[in-house]
Amino acid sequence: MPHKSHFRYLPVLAAQRQWGLYLTDCGYTRIDPGTPYPPRGHPDTHAFDWKKGRTLDEYAVVYITRGRGTFETRLSGRHTIEAGDVLVLFPGVWHRYTPDAKTGWDEQWIGFNGELASQLVRAPFFLQREPVLRIGGDESLRQRFIALFNDVKHDPAGAPFSGTSRIVEILGLIQERSQNVGARGRISDVIREAQNRILQQSARDIDFAFLSRTLGVSYTTFRRRFKQQTGVSPAQFQSAIRLNRARDLLMSTDLPITDIAAQTGFDTIYYFSEFFKKKTGQAPSDYRAQSRGS
């Protein structure tokens, strides 16, 4: 599968502009290694290529949850992007970004605008010259992007005013995470590298004691630091990745459940089903049926 892209672009009513905060677009994309980027289908106002870049008339935040790549703005220069980074896009500021061809990446994003948006995304909270925030792997943040998109997908016109609370929630959580990281002097290179390795090898059995030794720290220190900076243990972090990958595959593909079990690192469908039901309260087949409205 070269890429899997879901997005919505929304009309904006005059009353929403008076409200001061409104969603303009949202979505997520999974780009496999070696796949051209960006995928087609976006309107001319948002489509771009690496050579030309683009300039938006709105704000946007893009959360990269897998892979790595490159991001550049006219004001801040070029940045190397890793999983766990948030890109903040400002209206009127030329920019471009692309995943590394060797890794691809997964991205979640929202576009928004309005007078209140300008207040929320103003200095010192978000800076045009520092548009990359090193949040790290944060499942709570990722789920908020997904929840907003699912709301829009199922009922695009359902909550033009109350639905903007999800925008505030996402921005607030990004700010909290970036401030918490800053208070500790930024996520350490060791834990950041550990997160990347777990993300890349989530379907494999990982010896975390061996991983900590390869990163040059004791397992006790590694586990304590990892939980301090992510909120979960290394094993819980890996389980969350497997669970989210399974959810995505159940919702967006017709793969047999046995294949999904194998792709997410389970030796048998029995162990996969037992794990999935324990985490979600549903069997994989029931989750797939419910997510598709059956």
Side-chain angles (χ1 to χ4, degrees):
M1 183 184 300
H3 64 77
K4 193 72 174 181
S5 187
H6 300 273
F7 48 82
R8 290 287 188 277
Y9 289 87
L10 305 173
V12 179
L13 306 175
Q16 289 176 275
R17 297 183 188 278
Q18 291 178 326
W19 181 252
L21 180 63
Y22 49 88
L23 184 72
T24 56
D25 53 276
C26 60
Y28 64 90
T29 303
R30 182 172 69 244
I31 299 293
D32 287 344
T35 302
Y37 182 86
R40 296 178 179 179
H42 296 276
D44 292 342
T45 53
H46 292 73
F48 72 100
D49 59 40
W50 176 256
K51 184 177 181 180
K52 295 181 179 179
R54 71 177 177 187
T55 303
L56 294 174
D57 292 329
E58 64 189 38
Y59 297 93
V61 290
V62 185
Y63 186 32
I64 306 302
T65 55
R66 181 192 62 81
R68 61 175 62 92
T70 304
F71 171 58
E72 182 178 4
T73 81
R74 199 174 301 282
L75 291 176
S76 69
R78 188 169 296 191
H79 307 263
T80 298
I81 302 303
E82 300 284 351
D85 288 348
V86 171
L87 318 181
V88 183
L89 311 180
F90 294 83
V93 178
W94 178 90
H95 62 270
R96 60 184 179 177
Y97 50 88
T98 187
D100 189 311
K102 294 180 180 179
T103 64
W105 71 19
D106 291 353
E107 62 183 19
Q108 285 77 211
W109 82 89
I110 59 170
F112 55 97
N113 215 337
E115 292 182 5
L116 180 56
S118 298
Q119 294 181 38
L120 294 171
V121 192
R122 67 183 179 184
F125 300 109
F126 300 94
L127 303 174
Q128 293 188 23
R129 294 190 178 279
E130 298 180 14
V132 180
L133 302 177
R134 311 291 185 181
I135 302 297
D138 191 297
E139 184 55 24
S140 179
L141 177 59
R142 178 180 177 276
Q143 287 299 325
R144 281 168 170 79
F145 277 94
I146 293 173
L148 184 150
F149 176 78
N150 286 337
D151 285 349
V152 172
K153 177 182 177 182
H154 295 303
D155 192 4
F161 301 107
S162 63
T164 59
S165 63
R166 288 200 181 276
I167 301 174
V168 177
E169 189 176 24
I170 287 173
L171 294 177
L173 188 57
I174 290 172
Q175 183 58 209
E176 289 169 358
R177 294 296 188 262
S178 63
Q179 289 296 322
N180 287 340
V181 170
R184 291 191 295 266
R186 295 286 180 183
I187 292 178
S188 72
D189 292 340
V190 168
I191 301 306
R192 183 181 177 83
E193 178 62 22
Q195 287 178 286
N196 288 333
R197 293 193 190 185
I198 296 170
L199 283 161
Q200 293 163 8
Q201 304 173 28
S202 62
R204 305 177 185 175
D205 290 333
I206 299 176
D207 183 337
F208 294 110
F210 176 77
L211 175 60
S212 68
R213 290 196 298 272
T214 64
L215 295 173
V217 296
S218 70
Y219 177 64
T220 300
T221 299
F222 168 73
R223 193 177 188 283
R224 174 172 51 81
R225 291 280 303 279
F226 194 100
K227 190 166 185 177
Q228 283 177 345
Q229 297 179 37
T230 67
V232 294
S233 69
Q236 290 171 330
F237 185 75
Q238 183 183 22
S239 291
I241 296 167
R242 288 181 170 181
L243 179 63
N244 294 327
R245 175 65 171 158
R247 282 172 166 163
D248 289 344
L249 291 173
L250 287 167
M251 287 190 295
S252 63
T253 76
D254 293 318
L255 285 173
I257 293 176
T258 51
D259 290 355
I260 293 176
Q263 288 192 27
T264 50
F266 294 87
D267 294 333
T268 69
I269 190 173
Y270 169 78
Y271 287 119
F272 169 68
S273 298
E274 187 179 56
F275 166 82
F276 194 91
K277 189 169 185 179
K278 181 179 179 181
K279 296 294 185 181
T280 68
Q282 292 179 294
S285 57
D286 293 337
Y287 180 87
R288 169 176 273 171
Q290 184 181 44
S291 69
R292 296 184 178 188
S294 302

